[in-house]
């Protein structure tokens, strides 16, 4: 069991595998789970459904909700997993807020690999044509962000899950 409460934010552009990887790991670790997309205001969802990228003003209320959810989850769960793109450092800073024990799992892949995945995906409101805007928005985490762990997604899904699980276990001893 963990000694402290830990929150893992699975971040990256749409199509990087956040949902698949995070859900599997949450299940494996019996961790609390939240898909941050469920917290988007209706206006944001309608905008994305129309193929219009969100701007910083659109994202601010959503990021505050993610931060609040992380705080609430950390008060009742040893391990919490939240999916949120968190593309810019300022977004990650909003999520960090006053939360303790936040860690970001950055699912990192090339434009070509992720574009191919999005082309094959059905039933999601993020359109593949919006991928370029996500890469344009993405601010790769720097070495200054010591709570961010990059995982190369250009390997098999099981290898991504295993590598991510190893990172999480090294942080919270939640095996």
């Amino acid at each position: 069991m963990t000694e402290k409460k830990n929150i893992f934010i699975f971040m990256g552009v749409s199509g990087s595998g956040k949902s698949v990887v995070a859900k599997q790991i949450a299940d494996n670790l019996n961790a609390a789970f939240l898909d941050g997309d469920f917290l988007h205001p209706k206006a944001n969802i309608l905008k994305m459904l129309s193929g219009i990228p969100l701007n910083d003003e659109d994202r601010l209320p959503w990021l505050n909700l993610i931060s609040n959810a992380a705080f609430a989850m950390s008060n009742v769960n040893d391990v919490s997993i939240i999916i949120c793109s968190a593309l810019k450092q300022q977004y990650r800073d909003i999520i960090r807020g006053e939360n303790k024990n936040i860690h970001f799992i950055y699912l990192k892949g090339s434009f070509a690999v992720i574009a191919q995945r999005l082309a094959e995906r059905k039933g999601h409101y993020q359109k593949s044509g919006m991928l370029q805007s996500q890469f344009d928005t993405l601010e790769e985490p720097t070495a200054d962000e010591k709570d961010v762990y990059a995982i190369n997604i250009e390997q098999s899904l099981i290898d991504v899950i295993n590598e991510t699980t190893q990172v999480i276990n090294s942080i919270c001893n939640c095996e």
Side-chain angles (χ1 to χ4, degrees):
M1 203 43 69
T2 62
E3 294 178 15
K4 60 183 181 179
K5 314 254 184 212
N6 289 281
I7 306 125
F8 296 92
I9 310 292
F10 280 66
M11 62 164 286
V13 298
S14 183
S16 61
K18 295 183 300 288
S19 295
V20 171
V21 175
K23 285 177 186 173
Q24 184 62 57
I25 291 173
D27 187 49
N28 292 351
L29 298 177
N30 197 28
F33 175 81
L34 173 66
D35 187 334
D37 282 347
F38 296 156
L39 298 178
H40 269 297
K42 181 179 179 182
N44 285 9
I45 295 170
L46 292 173
K47 195 170 185 179
M48 289 185 285
L49 281 170
S50 299
I52 302 168
L54 300 179
N55 59 37
D56 287 351
E57 186 178 324
D58 297 325
R59 288 187 180 99
L60 185 58
W62 174 63
L63 293 166
N64 282 315
L65 287 172
I66 298 280
S67 180
N68 290 338
F71 182 80
M73 292 171 79
S74 73
N75 281 291
V76 295
N77 302 293
D78 288 333
V79 179
S80 300
I81 293 177
I82 301 174
I83 299 170
C84 176
S85 53
L87 298 176
K88 290 185 178 182
Q89 182 172 347
Q90 72 183 40
Y91 301 168
R92 295 186 291 275
D93 289 343
I94 291 168
I95 293 167
R96 285 178 185 108
E98 295 179 21
N99 289 317
K100 293 181 171 46
N101 302 321
I102 289 264
H103 313 278
F104 291 87
I105 303 293
Y106 172 33
L107 298 180
K108 180 178 179 170
S110 70
F111 182 91
V113 166
I114 294 173
Q116 178 64 36
R117 289 180 179 183
L118 281 176
E120 296 168 357
R121 188 162 83 177
K122 301 194 177 3
H124 194 277
Y125 51 73
Q126 178 70 274
K127 306 297 184 201
S128 61
M130 292 169 53
L131 181 60
Q132 186 61 55
S133 75
Q134 290 224 327
F135 270 92
D136 291 345
T137 301
L138 177 64
E139 293 174 1
E140 294 254 346
T142 65
D144 292 339
E145 291 184 87
K146 300 194 183 319
D147 58 357
V148 179
Y149 305 87
I151 304 292
N152 176 7
I153 64 161
E154 297 182 18
Q155 55 186 323
S156 72
L157 177 60
I158 191 68
D159 287 341
V160 170
I161 290 169
N162 287 340
E163 184 178 339
T164 305
T165 301
Q166 287 174 356
V167 167
I168 291 172
N169 285 337
S170 73
I171 293 166
C172 68
N173 300 316
C174 48
E175 297 180 81

